[in-house]
Every structure is written in structure tokens, then in C-alpha cells.
């Protein structure tokens, strides 16, 4: 069984070597451990330092594409390299690599296909009280949207079984952490979390410029992914918000009409008609979105099958090349 530890990196020449060397190369139940660094358009010595530190594979993006796309590219490359388990960690050595064996244990035991490393949020001194509160709130919102029980949704220290990794399709360009949990929950991929340690913070996060930006972008991501993967509950809920006051207005008019005072309250019927029209349109949009979601699910299944076939395709290509070389000789 092969484990590939992928590390998205952008200008991490000062920390990438420490992160790579900390990765355990011998793990019970794993035959081979390899390191894949995804260079997201670095302009410093990140790639050279990574090679010198022992990275087995370097995937260089043509330009800076962002963390989410670099993560997705790494997943596809890891699958193409024949990974049975993929662990994602940060290039700034934030997560304790000694916890990788514990992180992949639920996958080896076949009790889960995705495992998220849960950091001790309350014990991290570099996190302000506000950030800790927002971390807990954000994780709670993700749990409600995904139907899962992951206590640390923003954690980037994760392990993916091969089949689960192939089924994930990140569409967000900002971050993959929240989206993949909601996707996995909606696709009923078995998921769990294990406690992991963290190392001393070496630099502030470069993913967002401030807490307001982080909260805003995370909220947009959660809402967008929920709408994409659960359109019926979302649009029908919004439609109900319009339909309820419409029904109240109609009921009010009928009561007044039965009391002989309905003539002066026709505007209630006009308002109710407008609200019901909006509710009907939203319900129709929800049905159409659900049909689109069903089509997207079929396309994602096709994509997953193609990703799982890539190592075999590469092997077949190598065999054909060897046969052609032999015939030419």
C-alpha cells in the first residue's frame, strides 16, 4: 500500500525542508511513503530546497492558481502516481507530522475514507479568543450543512482513501477545507476526525489578509457549496419564507371578508399574489437546480472513474512504449 503526502507550497523556502524531513518514511501497514510538493508558482527557492530535502515528486503549476486548485492538482497527481492513501499537510510545518500514522489508522482499519486532523484549538496560543470562537462557530455551521461531526472543519491536515479522493471535485478557488467536508457529507463518504498536535507558528497565515475577509469568504463558500449540493432544501426553504406571509395575508383577507369588511383590504390579496409568485419561481428554480445537480453527480462519477484508471493507463502506455522500442530494435 502506497501513501503519498502532498504539500501545496507557495514561497516556502524557509520551512519546506523542515516539513518534508519531519514526515515519517516507515509506517506500519504502509509499504511506501512518498512526498509530493505542489509548487503554486513560487518565486523563491522552494522547489530547489524541496528537492534537496528529499521530495520524491514536484508538481509545478504554471502560475499562482491558489490553494484550492493546487490542492486539487495534487490529488489528481497523487492518484496518477498510484497512491492508495493521500495525506495533505501544510508547507509551513504547522501540523505535527508524527501524527500521520494516527491520521491514516481509520482508513487502514476501513472505518472511514476521509480523516480530518482536529487541532487543540483552545490550547493554541497564537489564536486570539475571537479566532477561537469563530473557528468553533464555522465548524458548527459546516457540521449543519454537511450532516457530519467534524470538530475542526478548517484543518488542512487530512487523509483520503483513494476512492474518496477521486470522488471529490473542488470548484472553489479560495480554500478546499470547508467545501470538501460538505461534499463528502452530501455524498455519504464515511468521515471521521482524530486529535493531532501542532507545531510552533513560524509566520502568520497568508491565505487571508484579516479576520473579516476570512469570515466573509468562508460564509460565501459554505453557502455556495450547500446550494450546489442541496438545492431543494435551500430553495424550498427560501420559497417558504415568501409563501408564509402570503398565506397569512390571504387568511387575514378571508377573515375580514367574512366579517363584511373585505372591500378595503384588496391590497392584501395583491401582496399575497406577489409573494406567492416569488415562492413559485423559487420552487421552480430549486427543481431545475436539483436536476442540474443530478447531472453534475453523473459527471463527477465519470471523472472519478477516469482518475482511478490513470495509474493503469500510465502503466499500459509504458508497456506499449517498451514493445515499440523492442520492435524497432
Amino acid at each position: 500500500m502506497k501513501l503519498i503526502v502532498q504539500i501545496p507550497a507557495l514561497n516556502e523556502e524557509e520551512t519546506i525542508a523542515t516539513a518534508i524531513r519531519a514526515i515519517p518514511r516507515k509506517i506500519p501497514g504502509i509499504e511506501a511513503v512518498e512526498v509530493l510538493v505542489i509548487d503554486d508558482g513560487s518565486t523563491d527557492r522552494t522547489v530547489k530546497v524541496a528537492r534537496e530535502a528529499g521530495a520524491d515528486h514536484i508538481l509545478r503549476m504554471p502560475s499562482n492558481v491558489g490553494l484550492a486548485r493546487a490542492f486539487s492538482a495534487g490529488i489528481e497527481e497523487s492518484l496518477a502516481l498510484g497512491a492508495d492513501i493521500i495525506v495533505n499537510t501544510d508547507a509551513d510545518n504547522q501540523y505535527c507530522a508524527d501524527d500521520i500514522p494516527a491520521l491514516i489508522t481509520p482508513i487502514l482499519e476501513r472505518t472511514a475514507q476521509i480523516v480530518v486532523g482536529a487541532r487543540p484549538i483552545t490550547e493554541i496560543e497564537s489564536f486570539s479568543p475571537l479566532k477561537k470562537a469563530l473557528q468553533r462557530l464555522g465548524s458548527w455551521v459546516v457540521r449543519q450543512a454537511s450532516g457530519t461531526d467534524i470538530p475542526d472543519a478548517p484543518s488542512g491536515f487530512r487523509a483520503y482513501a483513494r476512492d474518496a479522493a477521486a470522488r471529490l471535485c473542488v470548484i472553489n478557488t479560495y480554500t478546499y477545507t470547508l467545501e470538501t467536508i460538505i461534499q463528502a457529507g452530501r455524498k455519504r463518504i464515511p468521515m471521521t476526525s482524530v486529535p493531532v498536535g501542532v507545531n510552533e507558528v513560524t509566520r502568520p497565515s497568508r491565505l487571508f489578509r484579516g479576520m473579516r475577509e476570512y469570515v466573509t469568504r468562508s460564509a460565501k463558500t459554505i453557502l455556495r457549496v450547500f446550494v450546489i449540493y442541496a438545492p431543494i432544501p435551500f430553495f424550498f426553504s427560501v420559497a417558504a419564507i415568501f409563501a408564509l406571509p402570503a398565506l397569512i395575508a390571504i387568511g387575514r383577507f378571508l377573515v375580514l371578508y367574512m366579517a363584511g369588511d373585505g372591500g378595503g383590504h384588496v391590497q392584501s390579496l395583491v401582496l399575497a399574489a406577489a409573494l406567492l409568485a416569488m415562492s413559485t419561481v423559487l420552487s421552480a428554480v430549486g427543481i431545475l437546480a436539483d436536476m442540474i445537480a443530478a447531472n453534475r453527480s453523473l459527471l463527477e462519477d465519470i471523472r472519478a472513474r477516469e482518475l482511478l484508471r490513470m495509474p493503469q493507463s500510465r502503466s499500459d502506455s509504458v508497456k506499449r512504449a517498451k514493445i515499440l522500442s523492442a520492435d524497432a530494435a
Side-chain angles (χ1 to χ4, degrees), residues 131-197:
K131 186 172 183 178
K132 292 178 181 179
L134 290 174
Q135 289 275 7
R136 290 193 293 269
L137 175 61
S139 295
W140 179 84
V141 172
V142 171
R143 288 197 296 271
Q144 303 310 306
S146 63
T148 62
D149 188 24
I150 302 300
D152 186 9
S155 171
F157 194 33
R158 304 179 175 197
Y160 300 88
R162 180 176 178 80
D163 289 345
R167 293 176 62 189
L168 297 177
C169 183
V170 180
I171 59 174
N172 174 52
T173 58
Y174 175 56
T175 180
Y176 61 91
T177 55
L178 307 180
E179 180 178 350
T180 50
I181 290 179
I182 297 175
Q183 273 193 33
R186 292 293 165 180
K187 293 180 179 181
R188 299 180 181 276
I189 300 176
M191 187 166 29
T192 188
S193 65
V194 297
V196 297

Side-chain angles (χ1 to χ4, degrees), residues 29-98:
I30 301 296
E31 297 174 0
V33 178
E34 298 177 1
V35 175
L36 165 66
V37 173
I38 305 100
D39 172 40
D40 189 18
S42 298
T43 56
D44 63 359
R45 299 173 58 254
T46 294
V47 172
K48 181 179 179 180
V49 173
R51 285 199 179 104
E52 293 174 350
D56 300 280
H57 312 281
I58 304 284
L59 175 62
R60 305 195 69 172
M61 308 305 292
S63 62
N64 177 233
V65 298
L67 177 60
R69 290 181 179 176
F71 166 83
S72 297
I75 290 291
E76 293 184 7
E77 183 67 13
S78 296
L79 292 172
L81 291 169
D84 297 295
I85 301 176
I86 302 169
V87 167
N88 185 86
T89 189
D90 285 359
D92 61 0
N93 199 37
Q94 173 188 168
Y95 303 103
C96 183
D98 290 337

Side-chain angles (χ1 to χ4, degrees), residues 228 285 287-297:
I228 289 174
V285 170
I287 293 172
L288 290 174
D290 186 63
M291 296 172 65
I292 294 172
N295 185 59
R296 180 186 299 107
S297 179

